[in-house]
Every structure is written in structure tokens, then in C-alpha cells.
Amino acid sequence: MDGMMEQDEAERRESVRMIRESAAGLVPRHGDFARVRALRYADPGYDTAIWQAMGEQGWIGLRVPEAHGGIGLGMAEACALAEELGQALAPEPLVAGALSARLLAAAGDDSLLPALLQGRSLVLTAWQEAPDSLEAPGTPGAPRLFLPQAAGAETLLVPVAEGGALALYAVPAAGQALHLQRTQDGGNLGTLVPDLAGARRLHGDVGAALAVALEEAALVTAASLLGLMERAFAMTLDYLRTRQQFGKPLGSFQALQHRAADLRIQIALSRASVEGAARGLDAGAAPDRASAAVSRAKARAAEAAMLITREAVQMHGAIGYTDEHDIGLFLRKAMVLANAYGSAALHRNRFLEKADPLAA
């Protein structure tokens, strides 16, 4: 039994390593940010060629079962991928696209899912009706909020409460009342007032599938924040080693060393929380325990990312506050991701509700 467990763990580590390598080949973590800057404040806000390449790599369907055209990997791999993309500040809406892929697979769809998995289209799920929420009431006719990179969506999935269940409808984005707003990082968010006249009903009840998909989206977003804070911290350390003041590197000053040590601890705690939650979901943890672990990871990652990116800007001095310096891109992205799929406050409250006080 121990030998089998060790083999499973070795295979899991190898799978995670391969995912990281594939990500590094497409969006290098140590590359520059010319691509990211070129896509800011322009529609659709991401690179459609990179989106298609992500589909070809299998990333959009990473959590979709093989029977539905995905590759059926676990949350450990999904979080490793998100961490790498967070390092590169990739603007492509992979989390939202993967959520839609999970729903389409659960609905048994064979019309929209293949093109989404191949990155030839973007399908977004209009589930959110209130700010700072992780619930999908499906209120008929209610505006749906915060659709990421909605300027590029071709199809919108709309969950609607019907007879005690949550039905799923598909509508073409063209012709829908979709209002776009710019985000701090230069992307866009859409608000949809759904018109289901002529919509196609895909399934009568996707409530359970959507709940699982939202849990996974929250955890993957935490992993994105982990990658983001790691890169911002590494860039700051490099700056402190090279920038001179009073004839000495800034990094030689004890006050800055203490601040850097505190930030390193926050990164380590965030990593432990994200990886622990991923292991729990992959091992089939009980729903409340899994939700508590996800909330702990998202709350910690959101708060740590905001702290670290703000400190990074401050440690860069005046140049850190200019838009021309790349360190500010990390703070802007953190401001967007910190509240996606639930803020730190929401997840702290949910952790208190779900956590077992007697659990080890």
C-alpha cells in the first residue's frame, strides 16, 4: 500500500512538473511584459492566438473528463498551471473558460464544448448576481455581473432557477445587452441583462456542477495570486540588490531586510494553503472541509498578494509608482483577482461557517 501511494505521489509530481514546463513554453515566467502592455485597454483584452494555443495545450479542458474531450487532470495540476500564468500576468480568461467547460461537460453538450476546448471560441458563464458572492441564485431576468474579458465572448451561458433546479441556457453574445467596463489591469468586465428569447436550453439542472466549478475557480484564482506575488517579490529583491543608496545596496539595510522576510513568510503560508486545498479536493475531501480549505487559501492569497504588491511598489521608491515600471502591473492585477470568486472577507466568513473546529 505504501509503495502504491509513493508511486501515485511520484506520478503527481511528474504531472505537475510537465504542466509547469508547458506553461513556461507559452508564457515564460521570466519574460518581459511587452505583450501584457500591448493588450491593455484594448478589446478583447487578451491574445486570441494565445487563447487558441492554450486550447491546443489542453489547458481549457484540464479539469474536463477525457470522455468529454478534456484531459482529466487534478487540482494540483490546475493550480500549478495557474501559478505559472500568474507569474506571467497572462490576461487570457482561462479560469472563466475552464468553468464554462466544466458546465458544458456536465450538461453533456457536444456543440459548444469542442470549440471552447480547442480555444477557437470563448464561452463565459453569467452566474454572478451580486458583488462579492460565490452563489448562483439563477434569478430569471436578473443582471449578471463581472464577466471577465467579456468583450471576446461569443457565447454566454446563463443559469436560471426553474422548479427548484438550476437550468442552463446558451445565448449568443451578439445582440445581448452587455455593458463593458475597464478594470484596473486594463482588461474588461461585462454586465449582462440576459434576454433568453431564442436561447437554447442545454440542461435542466447544473446546480451541483456549478457549485463544484465555482469552488475550483476560487482555488485556481488563489493559485494565480500566488504566482503573481512570487514574481513581484522576486523582482523587488533583484531591485534591492542592485539599487544603491549612500554607497550601499538597498538590500543591505536592516529595515528592508525585515520587511522582505515578513513578505517571504506570507508567500510560504499562501503556498501551503493553496497546495493543501488542492490535495484535499483531489483526495475527495468532504464538501464542508473542502470548502473551508478553499476559503482559507483564497482569503490568505488575496490578502498576501495585496500586501506584497503594495510593499513591492513602495520598496521600488518613486519609480515604482510610474506606469512605465513593470512592478505596478502586479498591483493592478492583484486588485482585480483579489475579489474574483469571493473577496478575502467573504472567504474568511465562509471558512468560519465550514471549518470543523475539532479537525487537526
Side-chain angles (χ1 to χ4, degrees):
M1 181 65 71
D2 289 344
M4 291 180 61
M5 291 178 63
E6 290 177 1
Q7 182 178 355
D8 289 345
E9 180 61 23
E11 291 177 353
R12 175 177 167 275
R13 287 197 300 268
E14 177 63 13
S15 180
V16 167
R17 184 191 65 78
M18 292 176 65
I19 283 289
R20 290 187 185 278
E21 286 186 356
S22 69
L26 189 58
V27 282
R29 62 158 59 188
H30 298 302
D32 63 33
F33 296 99
R35 182 181 86 89
V36 174
R37 289 185 174 278
L39 294 168
R40 293 194 305 165
Y41 308 112
D43 293 337
Y46 63 95
D47 188 331
T48 55
I50 294 292
W51 180 245
Q52 187 166 345
M54 288 179 171
E56 292 168 354
Q57 292 278 0
W59 296 353
I60 302 170
L62 189 145
R63 291 286 295 144
V64 172
E66 293 182 51
H68 293 285
I71 56 178
L73 294 180
M75 286 303 297
E77 290 87 352
C79 287
L81 173 60
E83 183 186 340
E84 294 297 320
L85 298 181
Q87 294 247 13
L89 297 181
E92 286 70 31
L94 184 61
V95 177
L99 186 154
S100 295
R102 292 278 275 162
L103 275 190
L104 289 172
D109 172 82
D110 60 0
S111 57
L112 297 172
L113 183 57
L116 172 60
L117 292 180
Q118 295 162 17
R120 292 188 289 107
S121 72
L122 174 60
V123 180
L124 296 178
T125 301
W127 61 272
Q128 190 169 356
E129 297 177 28
D132 200 14
S133 172
L134 206 61
E135 303 293 335
T139 307
R144 309 304 171 87
L145 314 176
F146 308 125
L147 279 74
Q149 306 293 45
E154 296 177 11
T155 304
L156 302 171
L157 303 180
V158 184
V160 179
E162 292 181 352
L166 200 63
L168 186 66
Y169 288 83
V171 297
Q176 290 289 313
L178 187 62
H179 175 65
L180 298 178
Q181 291 181 307
R182 294 295 176 194
T183 54
Q184 285 285 347
D185 63 345
N188 61 83
L189 290 174
T191 298
L192 171 72
V193 180
D195 179 4
L196 298 184
R200 186 158 57 95
R201 193 173 189 265
L202 301 181
H203 199 273
D205 189 7
V206 294
L210 180 55
V212 171
L214 289 174
E215 291 281 359
E216 294 183 357
L219 181 56
V220 172
T221 301
S224 299
L225 287 163
L226 173 60
L228 177 156
M229 69 178 92
E230 285 180 318
R231 180 82 182 270
F233 182 66
M235 289 172 60
T236 303
L237 291 184
D238 287 343
Y239 180 81
L240 294 179
R241 292 187 188 105
T242 57
R243 178 66 175 173
Q244 298 274 327
Q245 192 171 73
F246 305 118
K248 297 180 180 179
L250 284 174
S252 66
F253 294 105
Q254 193 173 59
L256 292 177
Q257 291 176 359
H258 289 167
R259 287 169 70 181
D262 289 341
L263 299 183
R264 190 184 295 276
I265 290 171
Q266 291 300 318
I267 293 173
L269 291 173
S270 297
R271 174 172 295 283
S273 295
V274 169
E275 293 182 349
R279 283 194 299 271
L281 265 62
D282 285 341
D288 278 358
R289 188 157 188 166
S291 294
V294 168
S295 284
R296 177 174 57 193
K298 181 57 166 62
R300 185 175 290 282
E303 291 185 333
M306 289 303 301
L307 171 65
I308 288 166
T309 54
R310 284 170 173 159
E311 287 281 295
V313 168
Q314 290 179 11
M315 289 184 184
H316 276 77
I319 195 173
Y321 291 88
T322 65
D323 189 61
E324 288 75 13
H325 198 284
D326 288 339
I327 197 63
L329 298 176
F330 289 84
L331 176 57
R332 289 176 177 273
K333 177 66 80 172
M335 292 171 70
V336 174
L337 293 183
N339 291 325
Y341 302 102
S343 68
L346 179 145
H347 281 286
R348 279 197 304 271
N349 290 332
R350 202 175 75 130
F351 176 82
L352 294 175
E353 293 172 2
K354 303 286 188 181
D356 179 0
L358 300 180

